[in-house]
Amino acid sequence: MTADTHVPDFARALPDALLRAAADVDLVVHAGDVTAPAVLEELRVDAEVVVAAGNNDGPAIRSWGARDELVLDLDGVPTAVVHDAGPRKGRARRMRRRFPDARLVVYGHSHIPLDEDDGDLRLLNPGSPTWKRREPAPTFAILTIADGRVDAELVAVEAAAR
């Protein structure tokens, strides 16, 4: 899972750590602000890629298949993907209303990594692998789903790997 890659408008390229992780998964979920279709093509080399459109994504990303929101079944886990989930205060309540059947909501926009389990709804922001803003490190997430259980790992991208 990734979001806010901002290539080439902020970063020149995706970090190797993200590309290595993408080569090892069945599905790459991008929660928007891709900004260039080449990023999606690069991620798609070894895995299927789905993408929610971000506020900085133009017609080329939409032509690639991006939608404002995605509703997926990830191995039996009803999942929604959206770029902007709004302010932190009230986020879980808003996402429950917007996606009443979802057990997992993946979002981006803030560049702030977050893995929050609120009982019946898990909220996951993978952060940004290229633009950490005020965070300690750029990040992405790896999800493992088995038997309806979701395990998430937020992965910090080492400075040497960028």
Side-chain angles (χ1 to χ4, degrees):
M1 308 258 162
T2 193
D4 299 291
T5 48
H6 291 280
V7 173
D9 59 322
F10 179 79
R12 288 183 302 222
L14 295 174
D16 290 341
L18 176 61
L19 294 173
R20 283 191 305 273
D24 258 354
V25 300
D26 298 321
L27 178 69
V28 174
V29 175
H30 197 302
D33 276 2
V34 180
T35 68
V39 167
L40 300 171
E41 295 296 333
E42 194 171 12
L43 291 169
R44 177 168 82 168
V45 168
D46 293 302
E48 180 185 355
V49 175
V50 295
V51 60
N55 58 299
N56 289 297
D57 291 329
I61 300 301
R62 288 196 179 271
S63 292
W64 203 91
R67 300 291 172 257
D68 290 334
E69 57 187 47
L70 305 172
V71 176
L72 312 167
D73 180 296
L74 298 181
D75 201 21
V77 177
T79 303
V81 184
V82 64
H83 180 62
D84 186 354
R88 184 176 187 126
K89 183 175 182 176
R91 183 180 291 137
R93 185 178 67 252
R94 279 192 314 279
M95 293 300 101
R96 275 191 190 90
R97 275 195 314 267
R98 187 169 177 182
F99 305 108
D101 297 328
R103 286 186 31 226
L104 171 65
V105 175
V106 178
Y107 66 97
H109 191 60
S110 68
H111 298 219
I112 300 170
L114 176 79
D115 179 15
E116 184 174 82
D117 194 338
D118 193 25
D120 61 339
L121 182 65
R122 188 165 191 167
L123 300 170
L124 179 69
N125 185 330
S128 170
T130 58
W131 189 357
K132 70 182 185 87
R133 290 187 178 163
R134 293 176 296 278
E135 297 304 305
T139 58
F140 62 92
I142 298 175
L143 286 186
T144 304
I145 301 174
D147 300 321
R149 179 183 159 97
V150 178
D151 290 316
E153 176 188 4
L154 291 168
V155 179
V157 177
E158 303 231 358
R162 283 182 274 154

